[in-house]
Amino acid sequence: MGDRTIIESIKSGSESELEAIYKKHRQEFIAWAMKSYGCSQEQANDAYQASMLIFYENIMKGKLTELSSSVKTYLFAVGRNKVMEQKRGARKMMVGIDAHESYLQDRKDDSEEVEQQEEMLQLVENSMEELGDPCHSILKNYYYHKQSMDEIAQKMNYKNAETVKNLKYKCIKRLRKTVTLKT
Amino acid sequence: MSEDKEIQDFDRIEKFLEGKLSHEDARRFEAAMNEDEAFRSTVEELGILFDGIQYTGRRAMVAKMAVWDSEQDIEKEREPKLFLLKPWYKKYGFMGIAASLALLMGFFIFFYNQTPSSEELIGEYYERLFIPGVTTRGENTNRTIKAKAQIAYNNEDFEAAIVGFETLDPSMVSNEDRVYMGLAHFELDHFDEAIRYFDMIPKDETINYGRAQWYKGLTQLKAERFDDARYTFTQLMESDSSYRAKAIAILEEF
């Protein structure tokens, strides 16, 4: 399967494709990172997971539609940067924190702020759990997996995109209320 | 405010946070935030919610990857350890192959020497008994038939020896003859027959019993019935037989 087909397959929601790619390159990346950068197996694994998340999210956001090199080269290049971040003693490479980069860029270096952000993120995560389905799935599919209203309607058997749009708004209101009650 | 208007306002905030407003609309939006603290607060709250939802999605993905990790690690555990040679091949090219082959040869020779084949063990430990003082005098008697069988045995004509011994009156067949019968069958790879004759020797005939057990063990080894052979030699090892030392020695070899 070519890289373009792989990307299209992942974009259409194929988890098995993602799993196959993840498993295909993992062992080699870990061995390479440990040998080349002297990191521990756990650090190498964390870097690989971060690399895979970026690969996945860029596909879902439409930022990655084709590769100039291979999937392996892409994963190794991103993974290498993650290893180097660890080596430089950059702030904790926490997967959830990166989501703040556009919104809270100017406050990134304040460790107290970062700690508060983490607490807030965990609070939202807990509130999402409390919401349950369908809100949990609608919000996650839209905001994280970047699925369109039409795709969600089809996947979750709703009448149309408009129905999903109204439901999403109600779910956000419920989430906001739950989080507010916890703070 | 109607729900439609609420949804409309929410869409606008969402587009701002996702960076989807035009430059001009974004500038107007920021101006509105600067003028209205409550509005700014709402935008920031929604921003945190969106980040939190993404964080939740990522955490779920990481959890999924952890499951894939453990599946793959279990699969790897089950792989034969010889596969670990693969990186050598990749890393060192031809020299890696040569080194790997040399290592494999080394292992082969090591194990070859450590665990000889049954054929080698038989070659090392088996000594066929020679029947002493054989005479052909008194033709056409039982004694003569027995003598012919013994001569045939000594001449390695084992089939003739077996036929000769089996035509004897049973009262004329000694336990010593039975050992030779067993050995004739051993030579012809009639393993079960050989063992049957060796088992006929009673325990109280110490010399013949020890000898018969020794050859029974060798027959089992030749037949590659290693567990049986081990058991027979162990019994012999624990006896007072003159074959005890041989039993100990052969047990160390397989």
Side-chain angles (χ1 to χ4, degrees), chain A residues 22-23 57 95 143 169, chain B residues 6 14 58 69 71-72:
Chain A
Y22 181 84
K23 286 182 175 175
E57 289 175 10
V95 290
Y143 290 105
Y169 175 67
Chain B
E6 278 180 28
E14 191 177 74
R58 283 186 172 187
D69 287 353
E71 282 172 1
Q72 194 175 42

Side-chain angles (χ1 to χ4, degrees), chain B residues 212-254:
Chain B
Q213 289 301 301
W214 169 249
Y215 287 112
K216 179 185 172 182
L218 290 179
T219 306
Q220 289 163 329
L221 199 58
K222 196 179 184 188
E224 300 189 334
R225 299 172 192 166
F226 297 107
D227 288 341
D228 291 348
R230 237 174 250 122
Y231 178 77
T232 302
F233 290 132
T234 304
Q235 294 290 101
L236 199 56
M237 187 183 76
E238 288 167 0
S239 72
D240 293 322
S241 168
S242 57
Y243 286 88
R244 185 173 174 270
K246 284 188 175 182
I248 292 169
I250 203 167
L251 275 170
E252 286 177 357
E253 296 214 41
F254 77 104

Side-chain angles (χ1 to χ4, degrees), chain B residues 53-244:
Chain B
I53 295 166
Q54 288 195 24
Y55 173 83
T56 306
R58 283 186 172 187
R59 295 257 294 177
M61 284 294 286
V62 171
K64 206 172 278 182
M65 287 191 275
V67 172
W68 296 340
D69 287 353
S70 55
E71 282 172 1
Q72 194 175 42
D73 291 343
I74 290 167
E75 283 164 21
K76 198 187 170 196
E77 284 286 309
R78 288 176 183 161
E79 281 176 7
K81 299 297 177 196
L82 196 59
F83 282 20
L84 293 172
L85 290 171
K86 197 176 175 185
W88 291 20
Y89 158 77
K90 285 192 170 179
K91 186 179 172 186
Y92 297 111
F94 175 76
M95 289 306 290
I97 296 168
S100 300
L101 284 174
L103 189 64
L104 284 170
M105 288 283 283
F107 275 127
F108 177 74
I109 291 162
F110 177 77
F111 285 113
Y112 191 78
N113 287 335
Q114 288 296 307
T115 314
S117 66
S118 62
E119 197 179 343
E120 285 181 301
L121 286 171
I122 296 300
E124 188 181 350
Y125 285 93
Y126 175 64
E127 284 177 28
R128 188 167 60 85
L129 294 176
F130 189 80
I131 304 172
V134 175
T135 174
T136 56
R137 280 179 296 180
E139 286 181 15
N140 297 324
T141 62
N142 278 338
R143 185 176 291 277
T144 305
I145 295 169
K146 185 174 178 174
K148 283 184 177 174
Q150 288 174 332
I151 291 167
Y153 174 88
N154 277 353
N155 290 335
E156 298 183 19
D157 187 355
F158 300 113
E159 283 178 345
I162 289 166
V163 171
F165 279 121
E166 283 180 346
T167 56
L168 282 174
D169 183 301
S171 64
M172 295 294 289
V173 179
S174 68
N175 283 325
E176 198 172 353
D177 293 333
R178 293 190 176 98
V179 172
Y180 298 133
M181 286 283 274
L183 287 172
H185 282 295
F186 171 91
E187 290 283 357
L188 295 171
D189 290 346
H190 301 160
F191 303 124
D192 291 332
E193 275 301 286
I195 289 167
R196 191 171 71 82
Y197 276 101
F198 294 137
D199 279 341
M200 285 178 186
I201 315 301
K203 272 190 178 180
D204 55 359
E205 273 200 36
T206 313
I207 296 173
N208 280 325
Y209 180 76
R211 182 184 286 170
Q213 289 301 301
W214 169 249
Y215 287 112
K216 179 185 172 182
L218 290 179
T219 306
Q220 289 163 329
L221 199 58
K222 196 179 184 188
E224 300 189 334
R225 299 172 192 166
F226 297 107
D227 288 341
D228 291 348
R230 237 174 250 122
Y231 178 77
T232 302
F233 290 132
T234 304
Q235 294 290 101
L236 199 56
M237 187 183 76
E238 288 167 0
S239 72
D240 293 322
S241 168
S242 57
Y243 286 88
R244 185 173 174 270

Side-chain angles (χ1 to χ4, degrees), chain A residues 15 18-19 22-24 26-27 35 45 49 52-53 56-57 94-100 103 120-122 124-125 128 136 139-140 142-146 165-166 168-170 172-173 175-176 179, chain B residues 3-4 6-7 10-11 14 17-18 20 40-62 64-73 75-76 90-91:
Chain A
E15 195 177 298
L18 196 68
E19 181 182 349
Y22 181 84
K23 286 182 175 175
K24 186 178 178 184
R26 176 175 167 255
Q27 299 287 355
K35 189 183 171 299
N45 205 52
Q49 286 187 347
M52 196 70 193
L53 275 175
Y56 173 74
E57 289 175 10
M94 183 156 177
V95 290
I97 291 298
D98 289 348
H100 275 270
Y103 180 61
M120 277 307 293
L121 294 173
Q122 281 164 14
V124 177
E125 186 185 25
M128 283 277 284
H136 187 278
L139 296 179
K140 205 167 74 175
Y142 183 80
Y143 290 105
Y144 181 69
H145 295 295
K146 306 293 178 192
K165 189 180 174 182
N166 290 336
K168 178 170 78 71
Y169 175 67
K170 284 174 183 166
I172 282 287
K173 273 176 78 173
L175 181 65
R176 190 179 175 191
V179 171
Chain B
E3 192 169 271
D4 282 350
E6 278 180 28
I7 293 174
F10 172 76
D11 278 351
E14 191 177 74
L17 290 171
E18 289 175 345
K20 288 178 180 172
R40 169 181 282 278
S41 177
T42 300
V43 173
E44 286 188 352
E45 276 179 33
L46 287 174
I48 289 169
L49 288 188
F50 295 165
D51 286 347
I53 295 166
Q54 288 195 24
Y55 173 83
T56 306
R58 283 186 172 187
R59 295 257 294 177
M61 284 294 286
V62 171
K64 206 172 278 182
M65 287 191 275
V67 172
W68 296 340
D69 287 353
S70 55
E71 282 172 1
Q72 194 175 42
D73 291 343
E75 283 164 21
K76 198 187 170 196
K90 285 192 170 179
K91 186 179 172 186

Side-chain angles (χ1 to χ4, degrees), chain A residues 19-168:
Chain A
E19 181 182 349
I21 289 170
Y22 181 84
K23 286 182 175 175
K24 186 178 178 184
H25 303 295
R26 176 175 167 255
Q27 299 287 355
E28 195 180 340
F29 177 86
I30 290 172
W32 171 76
M34 286 171 72
K35 189 183 171 299
S36 305
Y37 301 100
C39 54
S40 69
Q41 186 172 345
E42 196 182 346
Q43 287 171 326
N45 205 52
D46 285 350
Y48 185 68
Q49 286 187 347
S51 170
M52 196 70 193
L53 275 175
I54 290 168
F55 172 70
Y56 173 74
E57 289 175 10
N58 282 342
I59 289 174
M60 300 315 278
K61 283 175 193 169
K63 283 185 182 175
L64 187 64
T65 52
E66 60 183 304
L67 290 165
S68 54
S69 55
S70 65
V71 171
K72 181 185 163 184
T73 306
Y74 182 93
L75 289 174
F76 274 53
V78 177
R80 179 191 168 278
N81 290 340
K82 291 292 167 189
V83 169
M84 296 311 286
E85 276 179 27
Q86 289 173 337
K87 285 274 158 196
R88 284 195 298 267
R91 72 187 177 90
K92 193 175 166 188
M93 191 185 64
M94 183 156 177
V95 290
I97 291 298
D98 289 348
H100 275 270
E101 59 195 17
S102 59
Y103 180 61
L104 295 165
Q105 188 79 37
D106 55 332
R107 288 182 275 174
K108 202 173 348 190
D109 295 328
D110 188 328
S111 60
E112 201 177 321
E113 285 279 331
V114 169
E115 209 169 296
Q116 284 175 1
Q117 287 163 22
E118 277 185 46
E119 282 175 18
M120 277 307 293
L121 294 173
Q122 281 164 14
L123 191 66
V124 177
E125 186 185 25
N126 294 340
S127 302
M128 283 277 284
E129 289 300 321
E130 282 180 31
L131 279 185
D133 273 334
C135 282
H136 187 278
S137 293
I138 290 172
L139 296 179
K140 205 167 74 175
N141 284 337
Y142 183 80
Y143 290 105
Y144 181 69
H145 295 295
K146 306 293 178 192
Q147 290 174 349
S148 68
M149 301 291 186
D150 282 323
E151 284 169 332
I152 296 170
Q154 201 176 355
K155 192 176 175 181
M156 297 183 72
N157 293 321
Y158 286 112
K159 192 179 168 188
N160 52 37
E162 197 57 31
T163 312
V164 176
K165 189 180 174 182
N166 290 336
L167 259 175
K168 178 170 78 71

